[in-house]
Amino acid sequence: DVVMTQSTLSLPVTLGQPASISCRSSQGLVHSDGNTYLHWFQQRPGQSPRRLIYKVSNRDSGVPDRFSGSGSGTDFTLKISRAEAEDVGVYYCMQGTHWPFTFGPGTKVDIK
Amino acid sequence: EVQLVESGGGLVQPGGSLRLSCAASGFTFSSYWMSWVRQAPGKGLEWVANIRQDGSQKYYVDSVKGRFTISRDDAKNSLFLQMNSLRVEDTAVYYCARDRLGYWGQGTLVTVSS
């Protein structure tokens, strides 16, 4: 199985400041169809997960533009340009290229 | 508006069975892969199973193979997860999700305990 690693499990952020979450996969995530199925999810306390970014860098509808995704190969990053109070929660990367799909352990973001 | 509403969770003894349902609305259900994802209390997310649009392909995480069966009824816009031989470690909130997890339900709690 593909192992997804998020090296930072806890990330205190300052309101208005940028934040970055990294994710690494144990093997490349380019699918045979040419797409890279690396997605990012946000789970606020007490809520269901919500997808923020799909296929590395595509923002889902309604997601603020302060969120952006980048990366290639086995290294990926989610960036928050200016952290807001509503960004508190756990962020997961997930690969949907290889069966079984696998999630990273999550990075818990809170406010300093 | 896309809506996914899970039901069927509850308390069951080890070795028992449960059938989860997910009622979908707001989109053409028959056109999408569908998935089940679970989250044990205080833990991370684990993809459990998914099913192709026509039901011809199904995939499972190793830990549930042979015990869980995913199915769908496109006429009723419904997704199911039949869970047999339940174990304590299957205790989790089970979420129904569309396609590549772009939409999620609110989840249903399954507790396996004696």
Side-chain angles (χ1 to χ4, degrees):
Chain A
D1 296 359
V2 176
V3 177
M4 304 299 290
T5 302
Q6 293 176 242
S7 54
T8 301
L9 300 184
S10 179
L11 182 63
V13 301
T14 301
L15 291 176
Q17 294 300 305
S20 179
I21 301 171
S22 63
C23 172
R24 177 168 290 177
S25 58
S26 61
Q27 56 184 274
L29 300 183
V30 179
H31 193 274
S32 55
D33 65 8
N35 290 303
T36 299
Y37 294 104
L38 184 284
H39 316 304
W40 289 95
F41 297 85
Q42 174 196 60
Q43 187 173 31
R44 291 172 171 154
Q47 295 188 12
S48 299
R50 164 200 185 194
R51 196 178 67 186
L52 298 176
I53 302 287
Y54 63 96
K55 291 192 289 183
V56 182
S57 59
N58 298 276
R59 206 177 301 115
D60 271 281
S61 175
V63 174
D65 61 6
R66 65 178 180 275
F67 289 95
S68 63
S70 63
S72 63
T74 61
D75 288 289
F76 304 91
T77 303
L78 176 70
K79 292 183 179 176
I80 308 173
S81 60
R82 296 173 305 281
E84 296 191 7
E86 66 178 18
D87 300 336
V88 166
V90 181
Y91 291 78
Y92 299 92
C93 59
M94 189 213 88
Q95 68 83 19
T97 297
H98 306 285
W99 303 107
F101 296 166
T102 46
F103 290 88
T107 297
K108 186 174 183 179
V109 171
D110 59 13
I111 305 299
K112 278 183 186 175
Chain B
E1 179 193 4
V2 172
Q3 284 202 320
L4 299 168
V5 180
E6 302 92 337
S7 60
L11 175 63
V12 62
Q13 291 188 337
S17 298
L18 274 180
R19 188 189 194 214
L20 305 184
S21 299
C22 171
S25 60
F27 64 101
T28 305
F29 181 75
S30 59
S31 297
Y32 291 89
W33 282 78
M34 296 295 296
S35 294
W36 288 100
V37 178
R38 68 184 178 183
Q39 185 170 35
K43 302 297 184 182
L45 301 170
E46 180 181 42
W47 170 81
V48 174
N50 64 358
I51 184 169
R52 187 189 167 104
Q53 290 95 322
D54 58 2
S56 62
Q57 289 179 259
K58 303 175 184 181
Y59 297 90
Y60 301 91
V61 68
D62 281 352
S63 58
V64 310
K65 279 180 185 174
R67 300 188 300 122
F68 289 12
T69 301
I70 189 172
S71 62
R72 63 192 296 158
D73 183 340
D74 289 349
K76 295 183 178 179
N77 292 338
S78 294
L79 178 71
F80 305 101
L81 187 67
Q82 177 66 42
M83 304 187 296
N84 298 331
S85 303
L86 281 161
R87 305 168 180 168
V88 171
E89 55 265 34
D90 294 319
T91 294
V93 174
Y94 285 73
Y95 296 99
C96 162
R98 192 188 86 170
D99 196 33
R100 295 192 183 272
L101 313 188
Y103 292 92
W104 298 61
Q106 85 290 347
T108 187
L109 176 62
V110 171
T111 303
V112 185
S113 174
S114 54

